[in-house]
Amino acid sequence: MRELHTLSVKTLTSLLQTKEVSAVEVATRFLARMGGNPHNAFLDIDSEVTLAQARASDAKLADGTAGPLEGVPVAHKDVFVTRDFATTAGSKILSGYRSPFDATVVQRLRSAGMVTLGKLNCDEFAMGSANENSAYGPVQNPWDAARVPGGSSGGSAAAVAAGLAPAATGTDTGGSIRQPASFCGITGIKPTYGRASRYGMIAYASSLDQAGPMARSAEDCALLLSAMCGSDLDRDSTSLDMPTEDFTASLNNTLDGLRIGIPKEFFGEGLAPDVRAAVDAALREYEKLGAKLVPISLPRTELSIPVYYIIAPAEASSNLSRFDGVKFGHRAKDYTDLVDMYKKTRAEGFGNEVKRRIMTGAYVLSHGYYDAYYLQAQKIRRMIADDFQQAFQQCDVIAGPVAPSVAWKFGDNANDPVADYLADIFTLPASLAGLPGMSVPAGFGAGGMPVGLQLIGNYFKEAQLLNAAHRLQQATDFHLRKPEGI
Ligand code: GLN
């Protein structure tokens, strides 16, 4: 039997279009693999819904009205609201919540013909780097069940790596697409802030949140990204007023003469030698492909940690005030009055990390501290964005590690939230600047764990990033390697 679960989105698309397989056959294969919820990757599955969508796809394939990705399965991070599946954002406070509408990204992928497999586990409200903050238990890394899959889109990365879905959506506020992609050996891209609509994406830090695809290859990511992006100004005021783009068009462009900036701050003492070796090898591969490496500096890289961990919690403290037991999800059973109901509902419904961030956020925004923390962080955020523009005068794309180490073991950082925060150092700068960034499999490090190469582009240069990633994937096979038994 053909191993449908190992095929790319690209291959599945053409097999479906030529009717060599049916959408129902493909969906059935993935649903079978998802049985027993391996790696705890999924939070909601409904095979009836999935099969009904697959049958509708088969009808469209038969009558010639098929979309570009008709019949190809996709699973969504549980931060995207969906009408046909429960949405929890990994939180107890939204346990059993069902949205009356689909997020724009979900709806756009459905219009392109994709069949929804279910909802994927993630850190609560996307706050985390290891998926240890999900109220529904952690996701295991398919390469080593004792290790974290990364976060917060850990379920998305694990599902693709384990062949439970050919592609998934993720969200990235400070690295949540790139870092789990790196930890699980798959490809993921966070587009320029505003490229994909945030409508129906449960808000964490609105000035940073951005949706993107996660799949095995850059080519598959390009296919999904082309369908996901597009202006949605009526429903997301920060969505970009730009036409949709075919991100597959320039995948095969030559890299001859491409200037790749190497920020010295990304290769300092904190970088594990195994990660460094894999990243260096990828850079040598780029030189063989005709690219030139240019030393650059992003002098405020270190400051991105305090800046992000002020701004993101500040926005979260405001965004999460809507979860009060009145309109959504969980409500405490016994309370004396309205304020008591709010207090008990939130005390019961939110996990520790979410509470920590709400408190930090409320603190940095409070009278007397606002100038010292929040305002200061905003000023430095602007300087970080300016540093990138300086750098892009000398180079076309920037390359470095996604994370300082490979996936760590469960429990290693469990009682030390700051250790997790520090590990975000290489993904936060691009997020703060609103730039597109991606993770590309670049080899393996300690414990045989995958290492991701990060590529950062200037605003709207997703096509260039995908081109650079695709050419590397034509020259290497790291993105094709799978955990044992997959
Ligand atoms: N690890 C970062 C955080 O905990 C980033 C998370 C994200 O991008 N959603 O906030």
Side-chain angles (χ1 to χ4, degrees):
M1 194 196 129
R2 201 172 8 219
E3 290 299 323
L4 290 174
H5 71 276
T6 63
L7 301 180
S8 65
V9 169
K10 170 92 192 261
T11 306
L12 285 169
T13 304
S14 57
L15 290 176
L16 285 153
Q17 302 276 352
T18 54
K19 311 214 178 42
E20 281 167 78
V21 290
S22 71
V24 168
E25 214 179 312
V26 176
T28 305
R29 178 78 190 113
F30 281 101
L31 287 170
R33 289 191 60 77
M34 287 152 57
N37 199 16
H39 317 291
N40 198 26
F42 279 86
L43 292 181
D44 196 25
I45 293 172
D46 184 337
S47 54
E48 286 309 310
V49 170
T50 301
L51 289 171
Q53 290 186 6
R55 281 192 292 274
S57 283
D58 280 331
K60 289 191 171 175
L61 286 159
D63 71 14
T65 57
L69 298 172
E70 198 69 58
V72 179
V74 65
H76 295 295
K77 184 177 184 180
D78 206 27
V79 159
F80 294 94
V81 301
T82 43
R83 228 179 10 204
D84 298 328
F85 296 88
T87 302
T88 67
S91 182
K92 218 166 93 180
I93 209 159
L94 279 175
S95 158
Y97 172 69
R98 216 164 255 265
S99 162
F101 65 95
D102 281 336
T104 297
V105 162
V106 170
Q107 177 248 309
R108 289 187 70 100
L109 291 176
R110 274 294 293 138
S111 310
M114 296 197 96
V115 169
T116 314
L117 290 173
K119 302 298 287 294
L120 294 160
N121 203 346
C122 57
D123 283 302
E124 186 175 3
F125 290 106
M127 297 176 188
S129 308
N131 225 122
E132 283 170 304
N133 299 335
S134 167
Y136 303 97
V139 174
Q140 286 124 25
N141 192 311
W143 294 87
D144 177 354
R147 291 181 192 256
V148 304
S152 63
S153 313
S156 308
V160 173
L164 308 176
T169 54
T171 65
D172 191 312
T173 303
S176 277
I177 288 174
R178 290 162 284 161
Q179 186 256 26
S182 166
F183 280 14
C184 291
I186 65 160
T187 308
I189 181 165
K190 173 199 100 77
T192 306
Y193 179 81
R195 271 281 196 186
S197 170
R198 289 182 299 108
Y199 184 68
M201 225 171 87
I202 294 176
Y204 161 18
S206 307
S207 75
L208 295 151
D209 295 343
Q210 190 52 205
M214 301 168 79
R216 285 208 194 83
S217 66
E219 185 172 42
D220 284 359
C221 283
L223 286 165
L224 266 85
L225 192 65
S226 306
M228 282 169 74
C229 291
S231 169
D232 192 25
L233 275 171
D234 289 346
R235 298 188 295 181
D236 170 6
S237 62
T238 64
S239 127
L240 288 164
D241 191 10
M242 284 177 88
T244 50
E245 195 173 324
D246 176 3
F247 294 107
T248 62
S250 44
L251 284 176
N252 287 307
N253 284 4
T254 176
L255 300 187
D256 213 20
L258 183 80
R259 296 168 306 162
I260 302 183
I262 310 299
K264 64 170 187 282
E265 294 79 5
F266 281 40
F267 291 84
E269 266 182 18
L271 183 62
D274 56 330
V275 174
R276 189 186 178 123
V279 169
D280 282 346
L283 295 177
R284 280 196 297 279
E285 205 60 57
Y286 273 119
E287 286 184 307
K288 281 194 225 155
L289 291 166
K292 284 196 225 1
L293 306 186
V294 184
I296 59 161
S297 174
L298 295 170
R300 273 163 276 251
T301 296
E302 246 176 44
L303 288 179
S304 68
I305 299 172
V307 166
Y308 173 87
Y309 281 100
I310 288 170
I311 292 174
E315 295 184 20
S317 71
S318 164
N319 275 326
L320 271 58
S321 64
R322 73 192 66 176
F323 301 105
D324 57 7
V326 176
K327 291 200 186 86
F328 308 100
H330 176 77
R331 178 184 298 175
K333 279 207 175 61
D334 304 308
Y335 47 87
T336 50
D337 56 20
L338 185 64
V339 171
D340 191 44
M341 190 278 279
Y342 290 157
K343 283 187 187 164
K344 288 200 171 120
T345 296
R346 289 166 68 83
E348 291 168 10
F350 289 137
N352 284 344
E353 184 61 26
V354 173
K355 287 176 184 164
R356 185 178 293 126
R357 297 204 190 184
I358 291 173
M359 286 191 284
T360 311
Y363 178 82
V364 300
L365 288 174
S366 59
H367 184 71
Y369 296 104
Y370 180 94
D371 288 0
Y373 295 106
Y374 183 72
L375 196 61
Q376 195 69 7
Q378 290 289 20
K379 288 181 184 164
I380 301 169
R381 178 181 188 175
R382 178 52 188 261
M383 293 163 106
I384 290 170
D386 290 347
D387 289 344
F388 274 107
Q389 290 315 306
Q390 283 269 297
F392 281 124
Q393 291 184 357
Q394 295 157 259
C395 63
D396 306 302
V397 300
I398 293 171
V402 172
S405 72
V406 296
W408 53 87
K409 295 210 165 106
F410 281 108
D412 276 5
N413 295 352
N415 298 316
D416 185 1
V418 175
D420 276 12
Y421 301 171
L422 294 175
D424 290 340
I425 182 162
F426 303 135
T427 50
L428 299 177
S431 295
L432 289 164
L435 294 166
M438 69 183 297
S439 176
V440 192
F444 295 85
M449 297 306 289
V451 175
L453 171 80
Q454 182 174 207
L455 297 174
I456 300 170
N458 211 343
Y459 300 112
F460 321 123
K461 298 285 191 189
E462 292 84 359
Q464 191 174 39
L465 289 184
L466 290 160
N467 166 218
H470 180 67
R471 293 302 297 245
L472 184 70
Q473 294 184 337
Q474 301 296 98
T476 59
D477 71 347
F478 301 123
H479 64 297
L480 299 175
R481 310 255 191 107
K482 297 179 180 70
E484 230 176 85
I486 304 299

